[in-house]
Amino acid sequence: MLTIAISKGRIFADSIPLLAAAGIEPAVDPDKSRLLIIGTNRPDVQLLVVRATDVPTYVEYGAADVGSAGKDVLLEYDSDGLYEPLDLNIARCRMMTAARVGYHPAGQRLRVATKYVKIAQRYFAAQGIQAEIIKLYGSMELAPLVGLADCIVDLVDTGNTLKANGLEPRELIMHISSRLIVNKAAMKMKHAQVTEFIGHLSQFVANA
Ligand code: AMP
């Protein structure tokens, strides 16, 4: 059995063609179902529907053999207990700093609100900028509007969310996309099945 950990929403929609390229069709649409373990057209393949930030955990501990996770999630998870053999080139966006339109902080120490604490810490340290990182779990756009932070670090796709809240993108920290991750033991114990799966996905990504 090959067990694939996947999250709902954006990543799942983009993953359907990738799974199809590997001959895998989910039995139900997870966005329309409450099922957390989903069978497929292949008796030897099942999907686990987990939170995006939990995908690396399921894969590292071997509850799933493979999974798809954003580079942002992987950098925050920060483990060397996973293989990351393939950039799936889906769910692409940018990790950026953003601030109120026209606002330029004057103080010595920048206050930065973000869900992406490790990425932000590394970025500002590399820039030689003293930053106080304030951890939030969502709606980061609010923080600069109410004086909680000078700026935020968040994912930007169209930029509409920033714009709607009177913020503007500033510096690009990195480009983000989803990656295939593989459990280290599964790579050995299920070698044929895992490498065949990676092969199909690589071919699809190369031709996309
Ligand atoms: P947008 O308004 O199109 O710039 O989208 C920004 C919002 O969508 C932010 O709240 C982001 O956290 C979220 N977002 C954008 N792209 C992604 C992605 N690839 N994965 C997860 N969240 C994303």
Side-chain angles (χ1 to χ4, degrees), residues 69-76 84 119 174 176-179:
K71 188 65 187 172
D72 52 317
V73 170
L74 293 173
L75 287 169
E76 290 299 315
E84 192 190 309
I119 292 172
M174 64 181 75
I176 298 287
S177 57
S178 281
R179 311 298 166 97

Side-chain angles (χ1 to χ4, degrees), residues 10 91-93 116 141 154-162:
R10 197 183 298 250
R92 291 174 61 186
C93 58
Y116 305 99
E141 300 83 11
D154 196 7
L155 296 175
V156 179
D157 183 10
T158 61
N160 289 341
T161 307
L162 294 179

